[in-house]
Amino acid sequence: MTCRLVVLVSGNGSNLQALLDASASGQLSADVVAVVSNKADAFGLTRASNAGIATDVVERHDKAEARADFDRRLANTVARHQPQLVVLAGWMRLLTSAFLDRFPVINLHPALPGQFPGTHAIDRAFDAWQQNQTDRSGVMVHWVPDDGVDNGPVIATTEVPFVEHDTLESFEKRMHEAEHALLVDAVNLVVAENSLETTGQ
Ligand code: GAR
């Protein structure tokens, strides 16, 4: 059986769509068995439903809920889908060991290792280019061993150079294209290197 993936999303889900499309065309050596979001209105949930994939929403009860308590509820929901790998694809919430100790987790981030952790990484890279501080950015997929922000052992990267007359829109489009391709490649790499395709449940 193929590797069981659960994908966590917080918004649009274009990277989830890249996984779903690759799966449908036989280019992903894994099955997306569920999509879980911390936002009930995340468009990624609609993308999942359209593909016939199970969805769950785990929202914070209230602002007083401890991070670890939320993470335990999230982990319990994710665990019901028996994932062999959890993919953070536009998941915009830090996870603690209450979640990370339960599953192998990888994260996609639109910057090269060590650059622009956190939100709005694409905009910040563009600003840095405009100020002549850099001539390239890129995208990466890394393991998530702890609650560091967009930081962990790197699985794969793609550089995305700036080009003459780039606008934020043109740069952003290339970054998204790069991450859609990289995420599929990185999942296939992780599945192959960890023999996850042969241990399906
Ligand atoms: C993507 O650019 C992803 O790399 C980024 O959020 C976007 C989600 O887009 N993730 C982070 O910034 C994580 N720190 P999507 O919802 O269309 O896939």
Side-chain angles (χ1 to χ4, degrees), residues 9-37:
V9 300
S10 297
N12 176 30
S14 69
N15 286 284
L16 164 68
Q17 191 67 57
L19 292 174
L20 296 174
D21 291 348
S23 180
S25 63
Q27 287 164 326
L28 189 73
S29 48
D31 285 330
V32 179
V33 294
V35 173
V36 181
S37 182

Short mmCIF file of all heavy atoms in Angstrom, two decimals, residues 9-37:
data_model
loop_
_atom_site.label_atom_id
_atom_site.label_comp_id
_atom_site.label_asym_id
_atom_site.label_seq_id
_atom_site.Cartn_x
_atom_site.Cartn_y
_atom_site.Cartn_z
N VAL A 9 -3.62 22.40 6.46
CA VAL A 9 -3.68 23.66 5.73
C VAL A 9 -4.38 24.71 6.58
O VAL A 9 -5.20 24.38 7.44
CB VAL A 9 -4.45 23.52 4.39
CG1 VAL A 9 -3.78 22.50 3.47
CG2 VAL A 9 -5.91 23.14 4.62
N SER A 10 -4.06 25.98 6.30
CA SER A 10 -4.76 27.07 6.99
C SER A 10 -5.49 27.99 6.02
O SER A 10 -6.23 28.88 6.46
CB SER A 10 -3.77 27.93 7.80
OG SER A 10 -3.15 27.18 8.81
N GLY A 11 -5.26 27.82 4.71
CA GLY A 11 -5.84 28.79 3.78
C GLY A 11 -6.13 28.22 2.42
O GLY A 11 -6.78 27.18 2.28
N ASN A 12 -5.59 28.89 1.41
CA ASN A 12 -5.93 28.62 0.01
C ASN A 12 -5.73 27.17 -0.42
O ASN A 12 -6.56 26.59 -1.11
CB ASN A 12 -5.07 29.57 -0.85
CG ASN A 12 -5.26 29.34 -2.33
OD1 ASN A 12 -6.33 28.92 -2.78
ND2 ASN A 12 -4.23 29.59 -3.11
N GLY A 13 -4.61 26.58 -0.05
CA GLY A 13 -4.40 25.17 -0.36
C GLY A 13 -3.90 24.89 -1.76
O GLY A 13 -4.08 23.78 -2.27
N SER A 14 -3.21 25.84 -2.39
CA SER A 14 -2.69 25.56 -3.74
C SER A 14 -1.62 24.46 -3.69
O SER A 14 -1.48 23.68 -4.64
CB SER A 14 -2.14 26.82 -4.41
OG SER A 14 -0.97 27.26 -3.77
N ASN A 15 -0.89 24.39 -2.60
CA ASN A 15 0.12 23.32 -2.48
C ASN A 15 -0.54 21.97 -2.20
O ASN A 15 -0.08 20.94 -2.70
CB ASN A 15 1.14 23.67 -1.40
CG ASN A 15 2.08 24.75 -1.89
OD1 ASN A 15 2.97 24.47 -2.69
ND2 ASN A 15 1.85 25.98 -1.48
N LEU A 16 -1.61 21.98 -1.44
CA LEU A 16 -2.41 20.76 -1.30
C LEU A 16 -2.89 20.31 -2.68
O LEU A 16 -2.83 19.13 -3.02
CB LEU A 16 -3.63 21.04 -0.39
CG LEU A 16 -4.74 20.01 -0.47
CD1 LEU A 16 -4.30 18.68 0.12
CD2 LEU A 16 -6.01 20.53 0.21
N GLN A 17 -3.36 21.29 -3.48
CA GLN A 17 -3.85 20.95 -4.82
C GLN A 17 -2.75 20.29 -5.65
O GLN A 17 -3.01 19.34 -6.41
CB GLN A 17 -4.35 22.22 -5.52
CG GLN A 17 -5.11 21.95 -6.81
CD GLN A 17 -6.44 21.23 -6.55
OE1 GLN A 17 -7.26 21.73 -5.80
NE2 GLN A 17 -6.63 20.07 -7.15
N ALA A 18 -1.53 20.78 -5.51
CA ALA A 18 -0.40 20.18 -6.25
C ALA A 18 -0.24 18.71 -5.84
O ALA A 18 0.01 17.85 -6.70
CB ALA A 18 0.88 20.96 -5.97
N LEU A 19 -0.40 18.43 -4.55
CA LEU A 19 -0.31 17.03 -4.10
C LEU A 19 -1.47 16.21 -4.65
O LEU A 19 -1.28 15.06 -5.12
CB LEU A 19 -0.31 16.96 -2.57
CG LEU A 19 0.92 17.53 -1.86
CD1 LEU A 19 0.71 17.52 -0.34
CD2 LEU A 19 2.17 16.72 -2.22
N LEU A 20 -2.67 16.77 -4.62
CA LEU A 20 -3.84 16.04 -5.10
C LEU A 20 -3.72 15.77 -6.61
O LEU A 20 -4.03 14.66 -7.08
CB LEU A 20 -5.12 16.83 -4.82
CG LEU A 20 -5.46 17.05 -3.33
CD1 LEU A 20 -6.68 17.97 -3.19
CD2 LEU A 20 -5.72 15.72 -2.65
N ASP A 21 -3.25 16.76 -7.34
CA ASP A 21 -3.10 16.59 -8.80
C ASP A 21 -2.04 15.53 -9.10
O ASP A 21 -2.21 14.69 -9.99
CB ASP A 21 -2.71 17.92 -9.46
CG ASP A 21 -3.84 18.93 -9.43
OD1 ASP A 21 -4.98 18.55 -9.10
OD2 ASP A 21 -3.57 20.12 -9.71
N ALA A 22 -0.94 15.59 -8.35
CA ALA A 22 0.14 14.62 -8.58
C ALA A 22 -0.34 13.21 -8.22
O ALA A 22 0.01 12.23 -8.88
CB ALA A 22 1.37 14.99 -7.75
N SER A 23 -1.14 13.12 -7.19
CA SER A 23 -1.68 11.82 -6.80
C SER A 23 -2.60 11.29 -7.89
O SER A 23 -2.51 10.11 -8.29
CB SER A 23 -2.43 11.99 -5.47
OG SER A 23 -2.96 10.77 -5.05
N ALA A 24 -3.47 12.17 -8.41
CA ALA A 24 -4.43 11.74 -9.44
C ALA A 24 -3.71 11.29 -10.71
O ALA A 24 -4.19 10.38 -11.41
CB ALA A 24 -5.39 12.89 -9.75
N SER A 25 -2.57 11.90 -11.00
CA SER A 25 -1.87 11.55 -12.24
C SER A 25 -0.78 10.50 -12.00
O SER A 25 0.06 10.25 -12.87
CB SER A 25 -1.27 12.81 -12.89
OG SER A 25 -0.31 13.36 -12.03
N GLY A 26 -0.76 9.93 -10.81
CA GLY A 26 0.18 8.84 -10.53
C GLY A 26 1.60 9.30 -10.29
O GLY A 26 2.54 8.50 -10.29
N GLN A 27 1.78 10.62 -10.02
CA GLN A 27 3.15 11.13 -9.81
C GLN A 27 3.52 11.27 -8.34
O GLN A 27 4.60 11.75 -8.02
CB GLN A 27 3.32 12.48 -10.53
CG GLN A 27 3.39 12.29 -12.04
CD GLN A 27 3.17 13.59 -12.78
OE1 GLN A 27 2.40 14.44 -12.35
NE2 GLN A 27 3.84 13.74 -13.90
N LEU A 28 2.60 10.88 -7.45
CA LEU A 28 2.89 10.97 -6.03
C LEU A 28 2.84 9.56 -5.45
O LEU A 28 1.84 8.85 -5.61
CB LEU A 28 1.83 11.84 -5.34
CG LEU A 28 2.11 12.20 -3.88
CD1 LEU A 28 3.23 13.26 -3.80
CD2 LEU A 28 0.86 12.74 -3.20
N SER A 29 3.92 9.18 -4.78
CA SER A 29 3.95 7.82 -4.22
C SER A 29 3.36 7.82 -2.81
O SER A 29 3.97 7.34 -1.86
CB SER A 29 5.37 7.26 -4.24
OG SER A 29 6.28 8.21 -3.72
N ALA A 30 2.20 8.44 -2.69
CA ALA A 30 1.52 8.54 -1.40
C ALA A 30 0.05 8.87 -1.66
O ALA A 30 -0.29 9.37 -2.74
CB ALA A 30 2.15 9.65 -0.56
N ASP A 31 -0.79 8.59 -0.67
CA ASP A 31 -2.22 8.93 -0.76
C ASP A 31 -2.55 9.98 0.27
O ASP A 31 -2.24 9.80 1.45
CB ASP A 31 -3.09 7.70 -0.47
CG ASP A 31 -3.09 6.73 -1.63
OD1 ASP A 31 -2.95 7.18 -2.78
OD2 ASP A 31 -3.24 5.53 -1.37
N VAL A 32 -3.19 11.06 -0.16
CA VAL A 32 -3.70 12.04 0.80
C VAL A 32 -4.99 11.44 1.38
O VAL A 32 -5.99 11.31 0.68
CB VAL A 32 -3.98 13.40 0.14
CG1 VAL A 32 -4.53 14.38 1.17
CG2 VAL A 32 -2.72 13.95 -0.52
N VAL A 33 -4.92 11.03 2.65
CA VAL A 33 -6.10 10.36 3.23
C VAL A 33 -6.99 11.34 3.99
O VAL A 33 -8.16 11.04 4.24
CB VAL A 33 -5.69 9.19 4.16
CG1 VAL A 33 -5.03 8.09 3.35
CG2 VAL A 33 -4.80 9.65 5.31
N ALA A 34 -6.45 12.50 4.36
CA ALA A 34 -7.28 13.51 5.03
C ALA A 34 -6.59 14.86 4.98
O ALA A 34 -5.36 14.95 4.88
CB ALA A 34 -7.53 13.12 6.49
N VAL A 35 -7.42 15.90 5.04
CA VAL A 35 -6.93 17.27 5.12
C VAL A 35 -7.54 17.89 6.37
O VAL A 35 -8.76 17.79 6.59
CB VAL A 35 -7.33 18.07 3.85
CG1 VAL A 35 -6.98 19.55 4.01
CG2 VAL A 35 -6.64 17.48 2.62
N VAL A 36 -6.70 18.49 7.18
CA VAL A 36 -7.15 19.06 8.45
C VAL A 36 -6.77 20.54 8.47
O VAL A 36 -5.65 20.89 8.08
CB VAL A 36 -6.52 18.32 9.65
CG1 VAL A 36 -7.01 18.91 10.97
CG2 VAL A 36 -6.85 16.82 9.58
N SER A 37 -7.71 21.37 8.92
CA SER A 37 -7.43 22.80 8.97
C SER A 37 -7.78 23.37 10.33
O SER A 37 -8.67 22.87 11.02
CB SER A 37 -8.25 23.53 7.89
OG SER A 37 -7.93 24.92 7.93
#
